[in-house]
Amino acid sequence: MNLTLHVWRQAGPSTEGAFATYEARDISGDMSFLEMMDVVNEGLIERGEQPVAFDHDCREGICGSCGMMINGVAHGPMKATATCQLFMRHFHDGDAIHVEPWRARAFPVIKDLVVDRSALDRVIAAGGFITAPTGGARDANNILIAKTNADDAMDAAACIGCGACVAACPNGSASLFTGAKITHLGQLPQGQSERDRRVLQMVAQMDEEGFGGCTWHGECQEACPKNISLDVIARMNHDFLVASWTGAGDKRD
Amino acid sequence: MFWRSTIGKKMVMSVTGLIMVGFVLVHMLGNLQIFEGAARINAYSHFLHFTINELLWLLRIILLVSVILHIVAAIQLTRIDRAARPVGYERKEPQAATIASRSMRWGGLALALFIVFHLLHLTTGTIHPVPFVPGDVYANMVGGFQMWWVTLIYVLAMIALGLHIFHGAWSSIRTLGVNRPKARPTRRPIAAAVAVAVWAGFTLVPVAIFFGWVR
Ligand code: FES
């Protein structure tokens, strides 16, 4: 199939960007969106132009590197699908496709479709970890965890940190991301000792990075390639309320 | 720490919003007494203003503080949220946001203006087409809704209020960390019921008066 792409081109972080139009010819439906971009880039390189920069790594939906706004939807039209797992068979011959980078103050554009998502890393560094010593693998069921808690924790742990929630949120909020990590660790026994401190520090960092607040539009949940539920935001708020109320987070360093 | 964070501010908005929802429900039920005649609703007004006068003032103060906190937090959060996306998308297709969720800010502003209008209209009697008689609630209401544009303002404002509550009542509960209302943004029966009840209960009175069902 043949497609027309309107792609955001921006040479560097501080240069002005603009949309450029490219033709993508002879695209197979079995190509992923990124493979289609590869084909376009090969054409650009042959013509001596700069290829379109986009972030990618695993191309199997687990690393969270890839991500772009495709026709106004984060990661494109398929639900629970990262851009690298989006196949061209979901488009039609002759389609025009808009491709834009994630837009958020906390995600400055580095080049073309590549944005700097290290704000999310700093949110994790503020408290998204446990300090329990990790040794050799334990025996299964050494620590008993209720099935519902294990399920909720693992659902939240599926977050790949792609930033689609921020990109899709009308407020540029990272609540789904932060809530996912807080839910993941907060549901497990190993995460309890830092639970109060974690939520206060991660929320403070999230605000400091310039992300917006949650107004429960639910756009993040729709955009998430890992289907993470809005419930994680309610859990984050619950932990935040408890930790603020008891002041427990402030007592430890 | 609490107030400085976006979540803390949002929780303040939730609590104050729920206080206002409670007020609005009682107010709406009070209004419906107009269908039981002048004596009944004027007696209710007398009860509020004289029998429980101190309590009334306490409630008014709580309400005023709630309104102020709600608006201050809303303005601050709106500015934070706007700043979070300095460069917008050329194309953005909403996937889940409802009319209610997207009209919270403009709808909230409209409601704030409406409240001022409403207080000047039926509480102080400053804007009033017929002579305002303090204490004669029945006459003031019947007189107040003879003009088509006054009635229209109320009808439109109540649509805004219904939408605001439909999103606000649901999201407040979730903001406060309650996981219960499930994460399906469009399925929220309790918020829908409250929103429809408030909208219908409030809209009924001016419409009934305007069309002469209550005179
Ligand atoms: S490239 Fe790793 S998730 Fe898409």
Side-chain angles (χ1 to χ4, degrees), chain A residues 34 55-66 82-84 160:
Chain A
L34 298 188
D55 215 347
H56 63 106
D57 188 13
C58 70
R59 297 211 178 193
E60 57 182 9
I62 56 170
C63 75
S65 308
C66 64
T83 303
C84 59
I160 55 178

